[in-house]
Amino acid sequence: MDEEAQEPRLGQEISFLSPESFSTLDEYSKNPRFIELQEELRGVLFARASGENTNIGATPDQLGEDAEDTDLHQPKRGFDFTRVSIPKIQLIKYIKNWIIECAPYLDKFDHARHFAIQVPVIAESSPALFYAVLAFSARQMERKMGSDKNYDSLELYQESIRLLAPGMQAKDSNMLVTACILAVMELMSGSPRNWRRHIEGCATLFDLFQVNGFSGGVLQAVFWCYARMEVCGAIISGGVESTVLALRNWAPPIPDDIATNADADAFVRNAFYQSSLKNSDMHANWAVYLCAKACDLMYRHTRATELHEADGHDTRPFRLQWKTLWSELQFWFESRSDISLPTLVSEDDGQIFPTILFAHWPAISSNQVYHATCLIMLEMRPRGEAVLPPEGSAVWHARRVCGISLTNPHRASLINAIQPLYLAGKLLTHSAEHIAVGKLFKIIEETTGWGALWRLRDLEIAWGYAPGEILSTMG
């Protein structure tokens, strides 16, 4: 990569702004038992991926007993509530909360609602998955209610991990669903600085089971849930890291007769385009993939310019790679179907941000991700590379990122908005804009249980405020 970007990257302007420095953890994330269980989960996942014995943290008798529960030929049906000390009536509340509140967060791009409908069915014969669902739901309720003492989720999390090893030994693909749900639970719990550690184990399983974004069914839904975590993590890293799972493993395998990166790009773009013509969900997933590509390009460009490393992934000049990806982004935008277009757009004088209303839930996040990806791309635009307005204006994209969230208070979409809002917020200069964005972060954390205020604390420093100053103005 032999060309510099037109302007310093936003991440370089205030290089000390990072989750490592300023994001805070809740008491749960600092709980020694939670940290110990995270490491145990990683050990189970990596041991299976490497073909090692996964008898981690369990005796032979326990493994023999638990293996009966994961017998793929004669699975036991029905939920087993007896493995933990939590009353059954409370566990039933967690199941209800999963279906009503939690699963829609993960099904945000999925009309088939695999997490809400299929996962509970699978969990009837997969105790590890059942307890992962319970742990996720319990943690969401704990965070939403502000509970800082009673952690049912820790006991459920521990039980799911204990039951995971036998299923991993049996190479049960349901364990991939289990691992993904546990990873999302970890990220929800306000520990963004360790994002990569949360999802590395999942990445090894996608390789192991050869699952990608086109696999179909529950596993495809799980893949795109994982992919959204990848993108959030890559944005958090600010160009320091790329995705854990190589992008070549996100799409169908490239045919052997395709020899160039340009032809490979065209093959993948056509795969997404053809799939999106049949299923609007895939158009939204395509936006996630393009954002991941932009993060990967920033990562490789950063290493080329700051560490003077040769780009072993793609030998094309940086300018050409940038122009190709920018063209792909605009093709995505122009090829949206009617249901992915806004129902109403209003930019009247006096509005802090434009009103951009969508009737289709996947369209909310996918359009917002498009604008966020454009922000990433414009940060590293090659010198002299002209982009016509309004698409060439970073502030125009930033205002749309914020306007989409303000207009569409769909909870699943708000969770997906945390990182786009951070990218957009760094470009805002007026105090009224800062307060409006701050309120959005507060709403996300209070209504969904998802850790969001750590990003507001990062923005306060970027804007030049004292820590907590914007938050205090909101009461």
Side-chain angles (χ1 to χ4, degrees):
M1 293 191 176
D2 51 7
E3 300 183 49
E4 296 181 357
Q6 190 174 32
E7 300 175 355
R9 291 201 351 262
L10 293 179
Q12 294 173 331
E13 293 174 5
I14 311 176
S15 59
F16 54 82
L17 275 182
S18 73
E20 300 291 338
S21 304
F22 290 105
S23 64
T24 59
L25 300 179
D26 60 13
E27 291 301 316
Y28 187 93
S29 296
K30 294 184 286 187
N31 186 301
R33 184 54 181 152
F34 178 65
I35 296 171
E36 181 183 337
L37 287 170
Q38 284 181 300
E39 291 306 308
E40 187 173 331
L41 175 60
R42 280 171 55 82
V44 170
L45 300 181
F46 280 112
R48 180 62 186 91
S50 63
E52 298 174 7
N53 190 327
T54 55
N55 300 2
I56 297 176
T59 66
D61 288 341
Q62 286 175 322
L63 286 171
E65 175 186 340
D66 296 337
E68 292 178 5
D69 294 326
T70 55
D71 187 333
L72 301 182
H73 301 291
Q74 294 180 328
K76 295 180 180 179
R77 303 296 299 183
F79 298 129
D80 181 358
F81 296 95
T82 64
R83 295 178 177 274
V84 291
S85 63
I86 303 165
K88 180 177 178 180
I89 188 66
Q90 187 63 29
L91 297 178
I92 292 173
K93 288 181 181 178
Y94 292 147
I95 296 174
K96 290 170 61 179
N97 186 61
W98 168 266
I99 294 171
I100 295 169
E101 186 81 11
C102 300
Y105 297 168
L106 310 184
D107 281 330
K108 63 171 65 74
F109 288 175
D110 184 6
H111 283 113
R113 299 175 56 213
H114 284 96
F115 281 97
I117 298 173
Q118 294 298 321
V119 166
V121 173
I122 298 169
E124 289 188 59
S125 57
S126 175
L129 177 55
F130 176 52
Y131 281 93
V133 164
L134 292 174
F136 185 106
S137 180
R139 186 62 194 138
Q140 190 271 340
M141 291 180 70
E142 290 164 358
R143 285 191 57 83
K144 192 173 178 180
M145 293 185 296
S147 171
D148 59 357
K149 298 296 181 184
N150 183 26
Y151 294 145
D152 283 353
S153 58
L154 262 184
E155 184 177 353
L156 296 164
Y157 179 57
Q158 173 179 289
E159 185 62 16
S160 179
I161 294 170
R162 190 180 73 86
L163 293 164
L164 192 63
M168 295 300 296
Q169 287 177 317
K171 200 176 180 182
D172 178 2
S173 61
N174 292 335
M175 298 304 100
L176 179 52
V177 187
T178 304
C180 185
I181 289 173
L182 293 177
V184 182
M185 189 205 97
E186 290 176 355
L187 282 174
M188 175 177 59
S189 295
S191 50
R193 71 183 69 187
N194 292 322
W195 70 271
R196 197 172 185 92
R197 293 182 65 80
H198 298 317
I199 62 177
E200 280 177 333
C202 291
T204 65
L205 296 188
F206 284 112
D207 273 337
L208 178 67
F209 291 108
Q210 297 184 328
V211 172
N212 61 49
F214 292 76
S215 294
V218 173
L219 294 181
Q220 177 173 312
V222 170
F223 179 89
W224 288 110
C225 176
Y226 163 86
R228 292 190 293 270
M229 288 192 285
E230 278 268 39
V231 167
C232 288
I235 292 174
I236 289 169
S237 79
V240 175
E241 295 179 287
S242 183
T243 59
V244 179
L245 186 66
L247 288 173
R248 65 177 178 274
N249 295 329
W250 288 39
I254 304 296
D256 293 337
D257 60 347
I258 291 181
T260 69
N261 284 308
D263 288 342
D265 286 344
F267 171 81
V268 174
R269 183 174 86 165
N270 186 61
F272 273 105
Y273 177 66
Q274 295 300 326
S275 183
S276 68
L277 292 177
K278 304 171 186 175
N279 183 353
S280 62
D281 295 356
M282 282 303 292
H283 200 78
N285 293 329
W286 188 5
V288 174
Y289 172 77
L290 290 174
C291 190
K293 283 193 71 174
C295 291
D296 180 67
L297 181 60
M298 176 174 281
Y299 163 75
R300 290 185 286 109
H301 182 57
T302 298
R303 297 192 71 83
T305 55
E306 296 183 8
L307 301 180
H308 306 291
E309 287 187 358
D311 187 351
H313 171 76
D314 194 331
T315 58
R316 290 176 294 177
F318 170 69
R319 180 183 294 272
L320 178 57
Q321 292 186 55
W322 189 94
K323 289 176 68 174
T324 300
L325 183 50
W326 184 261
S327 175
E328 287 186 41
L329 264 175
Q330 305 319 311
F331 179 77
W332 179 92
F333 191 68
E334 293 163 4
S335 64
R336 292 172 299 167
S337 64
D338 289 344
I339 62 173
S340 295
L341 299 174
T343 302
L344 172 69
V345 177
S346 173
E347 301 185 63
D348 296 336
D349 292 340
Q351 291 181 265
I352 298 178
F353 298 116
T355 297
I356 309 173
L357 178 65
F358 292 95
H360 184 56
W361 288 351
I364 300 171
S365 284
S366 61
N367 279 274
Q368 189 175 54
V369 167
Y370 159 79
H371 289 295
T373 307
C374 287
L375 289 176
I376 295 169
M377 292 292 290
L378 290 171
E379 286 185 43
M380 55 177 171
R381 177 172 52 176
R383 290 186 182 279
E385 189 63 42
V387 181
L388 296 175
E391 288 79 10
S393 167
V395 173
W396 182 80
H397 289 289
R399 288 176 54 77
R400 270 152 178 73
V401 166
C402 299
I404 288 172
S405 284
L406 279 171
T407 313
N408 304 271
H410 177 242
R411 289 183 182 180
S413 299
L414 287 176
I415 291 170
N416 211 54
I418 295 172
Q419 303 312 322
L421 285 171
Y422 172 74
L423 292 175
K426 290 191 291 183
L427 296 168
L428 304 178
T429 58
H430 196 280
S431 60
E433 296 172 328
H434 299 165
I435 292 171
V437 171
K439 288 180 178 178
L440 278 171
F441 282 117
K442 187 177 181 183
I443 288 169
I444 293 170
E445 181 137 340
E446 290 179 350
T447 62
T448 69
W450 223 268
L453 290 176
W454 67 277
R455 265 318 199 187
L456 175 57
R457 286 186 281 270
D458 286 347
L459 282 176
E460 284 179 323
I461 297 169
W463 292 331
Y465 297 106
E469 185 173 347
I470 289 294
L471 191 61
S472 66
T473 66
M474 298 182 292

